[in-house]
Amino acid sequence: MAELVLGNARRTTRRIRVVSSAGIVAAVLLAVLLVPPLVQLDQQAVDLTAKLRPPSWEHPFGTDDVGRDLLLRCVYGLRVSLLVGVVAGLTATVIGTAVGALAAASGGWIDRIVMRLVDTFSSVPHLLLGIFVVAMFRPGVGPVIVSVALTHWLSTARIVRSEVLSLRSRPFIDAAISGGASRGRVVVRHLLPAVLPQAGLAAVLMVPHAMWHESALSFLGLGLPTHQASLGNLVQQARGSLLAGDWWPTLFPGLFLIIPTLALAGLAGAWRDRINPRRRSELML
């Protein structure tokens, strides 16, 4: 009886987490899609008469150190960070899926060489490698996306490789090969569709990671131009205000970064439990 009650409580908690995460993600998407077309923001506008005003009805999140509305800048910054996260996450997933499938399907010395290259890149910290990539270009969204995509495909390659290796021993793969299917046809028609759920989950999990990576690069001054709103830029520009006792320029951009990424991670966790029910049952024991 106690186990049944505990199981029901866990299912209820998981359902609440999924619903709340979906609501937050939906609100974020509506904000970043509807607010910028409806309310235009001059990224380089300055109004020193409204400098560092605390939250009020006129400015719900207050203003920054040059008088710009912080709510609008947070929405614009979230839009940029989400764009970087989605595009970089999808690009990294495509690269990792292709590399992992190629290594596992080829086998032999190709597999060994590819995985040694993956291990070599993995030994370098992502942020350090990302700094090296963006340092070769002018600040902008494109270099940040390239930096994040080129440093975050490694885990996806490992996941896809392990899945493909486990699928290669399945009877339907042996039947396809015995029927005369080429290696490329087996990969495209049988192996890749089977690993798409895992690859999709990796892409969703990579979005919040990429958002944090972009914020870290912008915070260091290597991401987007300083006048362009991004969550990393907003936090970086608010450091002096925080030391002076003005808390809102740091708090709200930080919340705009933390809450959506936690919501995306919650949805990814629910997806992981759905495609891997055995793991979910083990966790509930």
Side-chain angles (χ1 to χ4, degrees):
M1 185 64 180
E3 293 180 356
L4 180 61
V5 172
L6 183 59
N8 290 333
R10 287 176 175 172
R11 282 190 291 271
T12 302
T13 302
R14 186 170 60 249
R15 189 178 302 112
I16 293 174
R17 185 176 68 247
V18 171
V19 172
S20 59
S21 298
I24 292 172
V25 172
V28 166
L29 292 177
L30 287 176
V32 300
L33 291 177
L34 297 180
V35 171
L38 295 176
V39 184
Q40 297 298 319
L41 175 65
D42 186 356
Q43 300 276 9
Q44 302 188 34
V46 174
D47 183 9
L48 296 180
T49 61
K51 175 181 177 181
L52 290 176
R53 288 183 179 178
S56 61
W57 288 109
E58 183 180 2
H59 302 287
F61 286 4
T63 59
D64 62 8
D65 56 351
V66 292
R68 294 170 294 194
D69 185 81
L70 199 56
L71 174 58
L72 276 179
R73 285 184 62 78
C74 284
V75 173
Y76 271 76
L78 180 60
R79 186 189 192 191
V80 172
S81 297
L82 194 60
L83 172 66
V84 172
V86 171
V87 176
L90 291 176
T91 305
T93 300
V94 171
I95 295 173
T97 301
V99 172
L102 172 66
S106 300
W109 62 271
I110 296 180
D111 183 27
R112 290 192 295 272
I113 291 177
V114 170
M115 296 315 297
R116 293 298 78 76
L117 290 175
V118 170
D119 293 338
T120 301
F121 280 107
S122 298
S123 63
V124 182
H126 287 175
L127 185 58
L128 182 61
L129 188 58
I131 291 173
F132 174 77
V133 174
V134 296
M136 297 187 296
F137 303 94
R138 297 180 61 184
V141 175
V144 174
I145 292 176
V146 171
S147 168
V148 176
L150 291 181
T151 56
H152 287 72
W153 59 271
L154 306 169
S155 59
T156 304
R158 287 198 178 97
I159 293 172
V160 171
R161 175 181 177 270
S162 64
E163 289 291 325
V164 172
L165 287 177
S166 66
L167 290 170
R168 284 178 55 183
S169 59
R170 301 288 179 86
F172 71 93
I173 298 297
D174 294 335
I177 295 175
S178 300
S182 63
R183 180 175 296 179
R185 183 177 178 84
V186 169
V187 171
V188 173
R189 295 294 301 273
H190 299 286
L191 296 180
L192 284 181
V195 301
L196 281 181
Q198 294 289 347
L201 175 60
V204 175
L205 286 171
M206 207 172 298
V207 171
H209 193 181
M211 292 174 64
W212 281 94
H213 200 88
E214 178 274 325
S215 298
L217 290 174
S218 297
F219 182 83
L220 294 173
L222 298 170
L224 276 67
T226 55
H227 70 272
Q228 186 172 354
S230 76
L231 297 179
N233 278 342
L234 294 178
V235 174
Q236 194 275 338
Q237 294 165 7
R239 290 184 302 167
S241 302
L242 182 62
L243 294 176
D246 301 320
W247 49 269
W248 58 91
T250 304
L251 174 65
F252 292 114
L255 291 178
F256 265 63
L257 178 61
I258 294 171
I259 294 176
T261 53
L262 288 179
L264 286 170
L267 290 180
W271 186 358
R272 179 182 57 203
D273 293 341
R274 181 173 293 275
I275 67 177
N276 194 352
R278 178 180 178 182
R279 181 183 184 277
R280 180 177 62 186
S281 63
E282 291 173 351
L283 292 176
M284 294 181 62
L285 292 177

